[in-house]
Amino acid sequence: MKNRVSPEEWEYLSDTQEEFELAIQNAVTPNEREFFEKLRYKILNETAFSNDILMKDDENSDAIYIMRVGTDDIMIGHNLTVAGKEHEAVELAGVFYAMSYDLYDFLGYHITLQEWLRNRDYRGIRYDRNNDYM
């Protein structure tokens, strides 16, 4: 995996190379480091026009799903496949904006996506479900 890319590769993205480098450097656990390293690679090298499912809602008790949409947008949703629950979703421009998003509307208490993922140590995140390549 390459660490340095040309500025042109970042030109149309919401996130910056510096944000990813800082997140990787300051990662609290190896799983958090892996998350940012793999997302940086995916954003620069893989499209996700058919959605890249990072976490499915039926694989965690809070029924949260996380998808990468297009290149670097992140969709966070609730109850897409959980029977009897209302579906809600929000699409956010960029990984770091999404990481600061408050999940109150989904969970009923204040916690950012990054705090929620850290509490789980990124358990349930998968990197092999990009529908463009399946």
Side-chain angles (χ1 to χ4, degrees), residues 46-52 68 70 129-134:
E46 297 178 7
T47 60
F49 296 108
S50 300
N51 300 328
D52 187 356
R68 184 171 64 97
R129 296 190 283 206
N130 186 336
N131 289 316
D132 285 2
Y133 302 100
M134 294 180 86

Side-chain angles (χ1 to χ4, degrees), residues 74-120:
I74 299 293
M75 180 177 286
I76 304 166
H78 196 237
N79 300 321
L80 186 62
T81 59
V82 177
K85 301 268 186 161
E86 186 175 327
H87 173 245
E88 303 173 53
V90 61
E91 187 171 335
L92 304 162
V95 172
F96 294 97
Y97 180 58
M99 294 301 273
S100 68
Y101 185 77
D102 189 335
L103 298 176
Y104 180 83
D105 290 340
F106 301 124
L107 301 176
Y109 60 94
H110 293 287
I111 189 168
T112 66
L113 178 61
Q114 185 167 25
E115 292 166 335
W116 185 79
L117 287 168
R118 279 181 173 170
N119 286 346
R120 308 172 49 76

